[in-house]
Amino acid sequence: MKKIYAIIAAAMLITVPALSASAQTDAASGASMEQRDGKNAANVKPAETLSLKQVIKKYKNVKKVDYLKVDGFLLTVAKAGMKADDEMPAEAVDALKCIHIISLDDSSSELRHSFRTDMAAALSGSEMILEAQDEEDKIGIYVGKMDGQYFEDFIIYESDDCDLIIMQGKFPLSALQRMVNENKDWYDT
């Protein structure tokens, strides 16, 4: 888990701080970055079955929920960093359209329970391809809808801490297989 978070975080740390101010003010660039702490959002009410998009919409503005969306110009720069690091196959990086990151680290236990319930339902349409555990965290890695030689969305979910990363796009299965083969050392038990 930490390796994947580190890959994404490194790309974001390198690119986002330098560009966020100008990208947010320059709508013509096609960039958008949303980061919210939900100070003015209403409390979340538990419980209908939601899709991943609906989970994002439901929680992104909630107080004590950290949300980050990277697309447009910022994603282009992040993708360049990902390619330079060579941690993800280039064809997977090219297929990446948007990254959503949600964290409920500072949220109440009730909110976290609601989020876990919604995520369990939302992930029922996804296929778990890997479950890994390090000293403290257990992470599930999922893919969305399979379509021939492609799959939609690469989903990284750590349910104990309620951390979610959704990498949206239509990714080639060959890229997934390459990532699994190249990173066996961090998930083999």
Side-chain angles (χ1 to χ4, degrees):
M1 172 184 140
K2 290 181 180 180
K3 184 171 185 175
I4 292 182
Y5 281 143
I7 294 166
I8 294 169
M12 298 289 86
L13 288 174
I14 291 167
T15 60
V16 172
L19 298 172
S20 63
S22 64
Q24 286 178 357
T25 58
D26 186 7
S29 73
S32 78
M33 180 177 129
E34 296 179 34
Q35 185 170 4
R36 306 188 190 278
D37 61 7
K39 291 179 182 167
N40 299 319
N43 288 332
V44 173
K45 296 179 179 120
E48 69 275 3
T49 300
L50 302 174
S51 68
L52 286 170
K53 282 183 180 181
Q54 291 169 320
V55 169
I56 292 168
K57 185 176 180 180
K58 181 176 180 178
Y59 290 94
K60 72 179 186 177
N61 293 316
V62 174
K63 186 176 184 179
K64 301 288 185 175
V65 172
D66 295 318
Y67 172 68
L68 177 67
K69 176 183 178 183
V70 180
D71 63 354
F73 178 72
L74 293 176
L75 183 63
T76 300
V77 174
K79 287 165 66 169
M82 290 176 178
K83 284 182 179 180
D85 288 344
D86 199 32
E87 290 290 335
M88 282 179 70
E91 61 270 22
V93 175
D94 290 339
L96 186 59
K97 301 294 181 211
C98 181
I99 301 173
H100 297 273
I101 302 171
I102 292 181
S103 178
L104 278 71
D105 285 341
D106 299 326
S107 300
S108 69
S109 59
E110 295 84 13
L111 182 61
R112 291 159 70 100
H113 175 73
S114 177
F115 184 78
R116 284 186 198 107
T117 301
D118 288 338
M119 281 302 299
L123 288 172
S124 66
S126 302
E127 182 176 338
M128 180 184 279
I129 58 168
L130 178 66
E131 189 171 55
Q133 185 161 356
D134 63 14
E135 302 83 38
E136 56 199 45
D137 300 315
K138 184 175 176 181
I139 184 171
I141 300 177
Y142 302 81
V143 295
K145 179 182 168 189
M146 303 290 267
D147 181 21
Q149 294 298 311
Y150 295 90
F151 66 92
E152 292 179 8
D153 300 339
F154 192 70
I155 305 150
I156 305 165
Y157 178 53
E158 200 281 303
S159 62
D160 290 337
D161 291 336
C162 296
D163 292 328
L164 173 67
I165 299 172
I166 302 172
M167 301 171 86
Q168 292 181 318
K170 189 171 181 178
F171 303 96
L173 284 172
S174 59
L176 177 63
Q177 186 60 49
R178 182 175 154 211
M179 286 171 47
V180 168
N181 290 339
E182 289 177 356
N183 293 293
K184 283 184 178 181
D185 60 318
W186 65 265
Y187 64 84
D188 280 343
T189 54

